[in-house]
Amino acid sequence: MDPSIDPMSGRPVLTPELAQEIAQDIGRITGFNVLITDPAAVVIGCGDLERVGTVHEASLEVVRTGRPATHTAEQAGRMRGVRPGMSLPITVGEEVIGTVCLTGVPAEVHRFGLVVRRQTEILLEEAALLRSRLLHERAVDDFVRDIALYDPEVVDAGAVEARAVELGLAPGLARAAVLMEMNPAGEGADEGAAAVSRITVLRTVREVFRDRQDVAGVQAAGRYVVLAAAHGERTAPGRLADACGHLLSLLYDRHGLDGRMAVGEPGAGTAGMHHSYRDAATALRTGPAVFPGDRVFTAADLRIPHLLGAAPRQARARFADAVLGKLPGQPDWPTLRETLIGWAEGGFHLVRVAERLHIHRNTLLYRLEKIGKLSGRQVREPGQAIEMYLACLTDILQETTTQGKVR
């Protein structure tokens, strides 16, 4: 619980840290020495640090009556810890939670008294509002992490869904997890880009994902999660991916951040959102290997690599070796691998595949013939071609895992 918020009333509490900050700020603005007490008239904030912790006797009556009071040098001399000036109650609602006092000739400080009192109350309310917002952000981050780390054997789904309700979310609504990894753009990125605050980034994220049932939070440094409500137009294929592309452009233009994003398929409830998150996390790992030129990846487009990646690494290696034979040892293996992948994804259609690979039809025929001779397989027979396609994807996953690109 935030110490500046009363857990029973929800009202701001005048903490010593906040009182000291307010006393110094108002002192700089007015030029007067400012003193702030708690309801017991103990000084908790003052420009003169030696007075902190002492009793300001004049404040006892101000707290009791809720009315301002001035005290001349003669009056101050008869009271403990008091100097000439003015004391005013700090009121939140109908409750006096302390006093703010100005040291000086009463006739001079009286002109500033009501202004200082109101300014103190405004600063107190703003500080409480800021802390309330920070508490909300912390609760959102906790909820996002609960979804990411959900384990039905350890955590009760009902408890997670209760937290969703507290955040104003409909727990049964299907949501798609959107996972972001952001870093300063370029090797020479300035320190300003590196220091972009999470609140600034989230403000831009929420500008794009602004549905009332969307929730966006921070999972770790540079890693953000959006649980995007999947309803209406968002259910159309590619709609969320388009939103991700737009968001990446905004983050780069406004904050100098570059990165990549992945979208899981929608899931309802705690378990469904967790599965969507796991799909997005896998897509974010495997996507750059399979589609190296892209920055937005969808789980729906990576189901086959996802399935291959789920197999034990040694089993994947044996499969690729058995199917590809000596092909990976050829100097032009990357080109041959690209050809095999394009051949399968292009539907084994010569003209369509040649256009997809941006090569002449005769060049494609030459490559397919070379692959067939080196592998001893019937590349133009769909069954064997699909087997080689899967082996090529496996080879990519093996290669990037070895190089540490996929973790």
Side-chain angles (χ1 to χ4, degrees):
M1 176 62 66
D2 191 325
S4 66
I5 305 295
D6 186 276
M8 300 299 294
S9 66
R11 293 176 178 173
V13 175
L14 194 55
T15 63
E17 295 79 11
L18 181 57
Q20 186 63 36
E21 182 180 339
I22 292 175
Q24 290 176 341
D25 285 347
I26 295 179
R28 282 193 293 267
I29 293 170
T30 64
F32 293 107
N33 182 49
V34 177
L35 175 149
I36 293 177
T37 78
D38 64 12
V42 175
V43 179
I44 57 175
C46 185
D48 181 0
L49 296 179
E50 291 184 358
R51 300 184 71 184
V52 175
T54 64
V55 174
H56 187 263
E57 190 174 346
S59 292
L60 290 171
E61 185 67 11
V62 173
V63 171
R64 187 183 69 80
T65 64
R67 293 195 298 269
T70 57
H71 14 277
T72 64
E74 181 181 352
Q75 292 169 326
R78 295 196 296 266
M79 291 184 285
R80 183 173 41 156
V82 179
R83 296 177 183 175
M86 184 178 189
S87 300
L88 304 100
I90 302 172
T91 306
V92 175
E94 298 180 355
E95 180 184 0
V96 178
I97 64 171
T99 67
V100 56
C101 311
L102 284 78
T103 301
V105 178
E108 294 181 0
V109 298
H110 187 272
R111 294 180 299 162
F112 297 93
L114 294 180
V115 174
V116 169
R117 172 187 177 182
R118 184 58 190 144
Q119 184 63 31
T120 301
E121 292 171 349
I122 289 173
L123 290 174
L124 179 60
E125 291 167 0
E126 288 181 347
L129 180 60
L130 175 59
R131 284 166 172 78
S132 178
R133 288 176 177 170
L134 291 176
L135 280 176
H136 176 77
E137 291 295 336
R138 192 179 304 161
V140 168
D141 291 347
D142 288 343
F143 175 70
V144 163
R145 295 187 187 108
D146 282 346
I147 295 299
L149 303 175
Y150 173 67
D151 182 347
E153 299 295 326
V154 178
V155 179
D156 178 20
V160 180
E161 290 169 5
R163 176 169 289 180
V165 173
E166 291 175 356
L167 294 172
L169 304 173
L173 181 66
R175 291 180 175 81
V178 179
L179 192 55
M180 306 165 44
E181 284 185 349
M182 306 304 301
N183 295 290
E187 294 182 2
D190 59 28
E191 293 181 1
V196 176
S197 72
R198 61 183 295 282
I199 296 297
T200 301
V201 173
L202 284 173
R203 188 179 298 119
T204 300
V205 171
R206 289 165 182 163
E207 181 181 322
V208 175
F209 292 95
R210 59 180 180 272
D211 189 280
R212 292 181 63 183
Q213 288 296 317
D214 291 347
V215 57
V218 178
Q219 185 186 10
R223 192 176 176 98
Y224 300 81
V225 178
V226 179
L227 298 174
H231 53 201
E233 295 181 353
R234 284 182 167 181
T235 58
R239 184 58 61 91
L240 286 176
D242 291 342
C244 290
H246 176 54
L247 176 56
L248 285 174
S249 296
L250 289 178
L251 291 170
Y252 182 84
D253 293 340
R254 294 180 182 178
H255 313 306
L257 296 176
D258 199 4
R260 54 191 186 182
M261 301 178 66
V263 183
E265 296 194 50
T270 301
M273 288 188 287
H274 172 70
H275 292 151
S276 181
Y277 169 83
R278 295 309 311 164
D279 286 348
T282 301
L284 198 61
R285 290 196 304 270
T286 60
V290 180
F291 304 113
D294 293 351
R295 293 195 302 157
V296 178
F297 312 98
T298 64
D301 292 335
L302 289 160
R303 281 300 180 191
I304 293 177
H306 183 180
L307 183 62
L308 293 172
R313 189 172 183 277
Q314 290 185 346
R316 294 201 310 263
R318 289 197 302 271
F319 169 69
D321 290 344
V323 173
L324 299 175
K326 59 184 179 181
L327 280 173
Q330 300 302 310
D332 58 348
W333 168 234
T335 299
L336 299 180
R337 184 174 63 189
E338 179 187 25
T339 302
L340 281 168
I341 292 174
W343 179 239
E345 294 180 350
F348 315 117
H349 189 282
L350 286 171
V351 174
R352 187 160 56 239
V353 173
E355 292 176 350
R356 182 188 185 98
L357 296 175
H358 307 292
I359 59 177
H360 192 274
R361 179 177 179 273
N362 289 340
T363 302
L364 174 59
L365 286 170
Y366 166 77
R367 291 184 186 175
L368 293 176
E369 182 178 356
K370 180 178 181 178
I371 290 170
K373 288 181 178 179
L374 291 172
S375 65
R377 291 179 171 268
Q378 301 295 322
V379 186
R380 301 185 67 171
E381 196 281 312
Q384 294 191 37
I386 289 174
E387 192 175 50
M388 297 188 78
Y389 166 69
L390 296 177
C392 286
L393 293 181
T394 299
D395 183 69
I396 290 175
L397 294 176
Q398 296 289 98
E399 179 181 280
T400 52
T401 300
T402 301
Q403 294 176 355
K405 296 179 182 177
V406 177
R407 295 181 298 275

